[in-house]
Amino acid sequence: MDWDAAIRAELKPMVPYAPGLRVSEVRERTGKQTVLKLSSNEHPCGPFPSAVRAMEAVLPRLNRYPDGSASALRRALCERLGVESEHLVVGNGSNEIIRLIAQSLLQPGDEVVFAWPSFVVYPMVTQMFGATAIKIPLTAGEVHDLDSIATAIRDSTRIVFLCNPNNPTGTIYERKEFERFLDNVPSHVLVVVDEAYFEFVQAEEYPDGRTYFDGDRAIAVLRTFSKIYSLAGLRIGYGMLPAPLAAAVHKVREPFHVNTVAQVGAYYSLNDDSEVDRRRKENQEQKAYLYSAFDRLGVSYVPSETNFVYVKTCKPVEVFEALLAEGVIVRDFGTSPALRVGIGTPEDTRITMAAFESVVTRLGSI
Amino acid sequence: MIIAIDGPAASGKSTVAKALAARLGAHYLDTGAMYRAVALAALLRGVPLSAEDAVADLARKVRIDFVHQPDDPIPSAVLLDDEDVTYAIRTPAVDDAVSAVARMQEVRSAMVAQQRAVADTAALLVAEGRDIGTVVFPDAEMKVFLTASADERARRRHNEMETLGHEMAQSEVLDGIERRDQADSSRESAPLTPAADADIVDTTNLGIEQVVDKIAKLAEYRL
């Protein structure tokens, strides 16, 4: 077999997704027993208790295939969001829905526009289907430059991905800018608003993607159970899509793409909004503590609307390694002058603050 | 053969160079776009602008290509390592970064080498950019230095930004232009000065066509 010729040419320049270090690896490397993983924006607590009970209850029935149309979960989500079921798609993580949308729309020669840095999956799905990525740099304040993104749209543009709040910077674009942007987007372009961190947002001016979704406009809004609902290990997310796109996605998805445990876990996570509020507030509190520590230590950071903070540093490699030596795993971006630090429990915050304090003492200003 | 057009920010270099290239059937070399591509590469790949060595390294490694449609002197696209960056290099983020990048001596050396290589492939090339006639193509057959008052240049840049959909007060634009003039003429590496053998053309009260007419007429004698 001539593998070089056999494997699609588009895949050649692609690099597989590299996840952050695992806790066990770091334990081995540093000899530290207490290792804190703050590199994947996971929630520090387990899933909601009612979800855990329901998932345990379903385990003896896993001999059966899942409900292929996830009907109960989709019904619950439709009711909650006030959309028709023809618009509601669930996926094996919102990540899967991103790929399914790309798979439904993209052909070689098409273009996809998104900000950079942003979620790494956007360039991956773009390349995967032979389309071309147009990356628009964030502004100096690490915010989406929606005007420039609109300017970059042309006839060959199929999709614009907007991550709001943005991963890895934690910043949002505001309602006024978004509305001006939507006015400028031609109708042949799908705007995908990825709201993975929606539930953490507190800013008044945040444009809730749902309020712009009317079924007609070419806009898709994606959310996930991986973050505030603590179901990252299950892989489940959902999206509101224009009906024809949702129909196309149902054609390209696997028959049983969302497993039974995930459907049940997600369903039973939806009836505890007070826990969501509590988690949002606690995240905000811990973030404020972290900010004050950063201010005191002279660590530069970008204020965040999410459960992570983008720390700016001119010594990313040294700081990453020094934090690792303290048993704290953060996300690095190669030589990019920044690190992404997840927010955890009050105890996690205490450990993070102490780790940064010791790193700053050791390295001088970072 | 090379026509080198130089001048301060918003003096009309790129507009005039493009129109002139079209008039003369020449290829147009956008050197500013090349620096912008390097600045963009640094922003997108997270290379801090304070790390001069790393940016210079990037400037040497990246491949910048111009795509020409047949018979069109104006490149239709700018590619950075095969990625289309035609729009991305015109964003405010790049506007903010490009001056710092263009000040770096090693980046300039890397770009000069690439620009000369492009020139070798064109029969007639109109090149524009800061220090194009003094440093990049000191042996250009013809050199033009465009000038215009700071107020007039601020007005032009403001119009250009409005067309691109970026909102900014004209006074703010003027501030930016004056700051950039200051930075450009006081920088150590290739400061902004007309070449000794350049024709100086003041465009303050001239339209594009009039400026092109003037240069085309001069070209009849020079080329």
Side-chain angles (χ1 to χ4, degrees):
Chain A
M1 181 72 145
D2 179 358
W3 290 108
D4 227 33
I7 291 170
R8 290 195 293 125
E10 293 95 283
L11 304 189
K12 218 158 279 170
M14 288 182 66
V15 183
Y17 179 79
L21 290 168
R22 280 174 291 118
V23 169
S24 55
E25 287 173 292
V26 175
R27 245 185 223 133
E28 235 166 73
R29 222 160 106 174
T30 63
K32 282 230 161 209
Q33 270 318 296
T34 322
V35 172
L36 192 55
K37 182 167 179 273
L38 301 175
S39 51
S40 299
N41 308 338
E42 296 147 331
H43 198 276
C45 305
F48 295 2
S50 57
V52 172
R53 278 195 301 275
M55 290 189 285
E56 280 169 353
V58 85
L59 296 181
R61 286 191 281 122
L62 291 184
N63 55 315
R64 302 291 176 195
Y65 284 105
D67 172 357
S69 56
S71 43
L73 175 61
R74 285 179 52 238
R75 214 167 28 242
L77 285 168
C78 284
E79 199 171 305
R80 200 182 165 78
L81 298 162
V83 298
E84 297 298 319
S85 72
E86 59 180 359
H87 297 301
L88 204 290
V89 169
V90 293
N92 192 30
S94 52
N95 192 148
E96 188 197 22
I97 306 178
I98 294 172
R99 179 179 52 80
L100 292 172
I101 289 174
Q103 194 169 3
S104 301
L105 296 183
L106 297 181
Q107 300 183 62
D110 289 343
E111 290 183 335
V112 177
V113 183
F114 48 87
W116 201 256
S118 193
F119 190 33
V120 289
V121 164
Y122 308 150
M124 294 181 82
V125 298
T126 302
Q127 279 187 297
M128 190 182 299
F129 299 107
T132 304
I134 306 288
K135 294 176 188 161
I136 303 297
L138 297 173
T139 66
E142 310 294 355
V143 178
H144 269 79
D145 181 355
L146 290 183
D147 288 342
S148 297
I149 289 175
T151 308
I153 293 172
R154 48 186 172 182
D155 290 347
S156 45
T157 308
R158 290 278 91 76
I159 302 174
V160 172
F161 285 114
L162 301 177
C163 192
N164 200 39
N166 190 45
N167 176 11
T169 57
T171 52
I172 60 159
Y173 54 76
E174 299 188 346
R175 210 173 294 141
K176 221 170 69 189
E177 303 161 64
F178 184 55
E179 286 169 9
R180 187 171 70 221
F181 171 78
L182 286 179
D183 287 342
N184 288 326
V185 174
S187 60
H188 69 274
V189 175
L190 173 74
V191 178
V192 177
V193 181
D194 181 350
E195 297 185 337
Y197 301 92
F198 171 81
E199 294 84 0
F200 290 106
V201 176
Q202 297 208 303
E204 289 279 320
E205 290 307 309
Y206 177 72
D208 172 352
R210 165 65 192 94
T211 59
Y212 299 90
F213 183 85
D214 57 12
D216 285 332
R217 207 200 288 264
I219 182 171
V221 182
L222 309 184
R223 293 188 190 156
T224 184
F225 286 95
S226 301
K227 302 303 173 185
I228 212 159
Y229 293 105
S230 297
L231 296 178
L234 278 182
R235 312 308 304 120
I236 181 157
Y238 60 97
M240 292 160 255
L241 275 54
L245 177 61
V249 160
H250 286 304
K251 292 178 190 172
V252 294
R253 70 172 173 83
E254 287 171 37
F256 303 106
H257 62 147
V258 179
N259 71 71
T260 305
V261 182
Q263 290 186 31
V264 168
Y267 183 90
Y268 283 93
S269 296
L270 284 176
N271 53 12
D272 201 350
D273 287 343
S274 62
E275 176 61 13
V276 174
D277 289 341
R278 197 193 63 74
R279 288 180 174 207
R280 178 190 305 112
K281 282 194 196 100
E282 178 163 292
N283 178 69
Q284 187 67 19
E285 259 171 44
Q286 297 311 314
K287 209 161 44 183
Y289 285 134
L290 210 54
Y291 287 171
S292 67
F294 286 161
D295 290 338
R296 185 162 45 78
L297 297 169
V299 173
S300 152
Y301 61 92
V302 181
S304 162
E305 289 293 329
T306 62
N307 63 337
F308 56 83
V309 181
Y310 198 58
V311 170
K312 307 257 221 156
T313 165
C314 53
K315 306 171 185 162
V317 180
E318 290 97 317
V319 176
F320 176 81
E321 289 296 335
L323 285 170
L324 213 54
E326 298 289 326
V328 175
I329 316 173
V330 298
R331 183 70 174 178
D332 66 321
F333 307 96
T335 56
S336 285
L339 295 167
R340 195 187 62 197
V341 182
I343 307 288
T345 62
E347 174 63 7
D348 295 346
T349 307
R350 200 190 54 71
I351 296 171
T352 311
M353 285 161 67
F356 266 94
E357 179 131 29
S358 124
V359 168
V360 169
T361 312
R362 189 130 52 87
L363 296 177
S365 75
I366 63 168
Chain B
M1 268 191 302
I2 296 164
I3 302 178
I5 300 183
D6 203 344
S11 57
K13 293 187 296 296
S14 58
T15 312
V16 167
K18 284 174 201 164
L20 184 69
R23 174 84 64 91
L24 302 177
H27 264 200
Y28 164 73
L29 175 69
D30 187 351
T31 56
M34 299 175 87
Y35 286 103
R36 283 175 170 275
V38 174
L40 178 74
L43 290 176
L44 293 183
R45 294 167 202 198
V47 175
L49 296 179
S50 53
E52 203 165 325
D53 287 348
V55 178
D57 202 38
L58 197 58
R60 279 186 291 266
K61 278 189 189 140
V62 292
R63 214 182 68 238
I64 301 164
D65 292 308
F66 292 102
V67 178
H68 281 272
Q69 300 302 322
D71 300 326
D72 190 351
I74 314 298
S76 59
V78 184
L79 305 182
L80 175 67
D81 285 336
D82 292 325
E83 266 191 49
D84 187 331
V85 295
T86 317
Y87 297 102
I89 60 169
R90 304 287 169 194
T91 52
V94 174
D95 290 347
D96 291 344
V98 68
S99 197
V101 170
R103 260 199 304 277
M104 298 175 186
Q105 182 55 55
E106 281 192 68
V107 172
R108 299 195 76 83
S109 309
M111 290 297 102
V112 166
Q114 297 214 31
Q115 289 152 9
R116 288 181 183 157
V118 174
D120 286 341
T121 66
L124 180 59
L125 186 81
V126 180
E128 56 99 354
R130 238 59 71 70
D131 68 39
I132 199 86
T134 47
V135 176
V136 186
F137 299 119
D139 301 326
E141 281 74 8
M142 180 178 175
K143 297 175 188 175
V144 179
F145 191 88
L146 299 180
T147 62
S149 69
D151 281 329
E152 170 62 14
R153 288 183 284 132
R155 196 189 59 78
R156 290 176 190 170
R157 176 55 54 88
H158 184 249
N159 286 351
E160 183 187 42
M161 290 176 82
E162 265 188 350
T163 322
L164 289 173
H166 305 307
E167 282 174 29
M168 203 189 242
Q170 188 157 333
S171 58
E172 232 177 300
V173 179
L174 180 61
D175 275 356
I177 291 224
E178 282 172 344
R179 262 202 313 275
R180 200 154 141 197
D181 281 354
Q182 181 60 32
D184 286 340
S185 35
S186 60
R187 74 178 175 214
E188 278 172 41
S189 161
L192 177 67
T193 41
D197 50 350
D199 292 308
I200 297 176
V201 177
D202 187 340
T203 69
T204 307
N205 297 311
L206 299 180
I208 297 160
E209 282 309 306
Q210 289 168 297
V211 177
V212 172
D213 284 345
K214 213 166 173 173
I215 300 172
K217 201 163 285 170
L218 289 167
E220 283 177 27
Y221 294 100
R222 301 262 177 205
L223 297 181

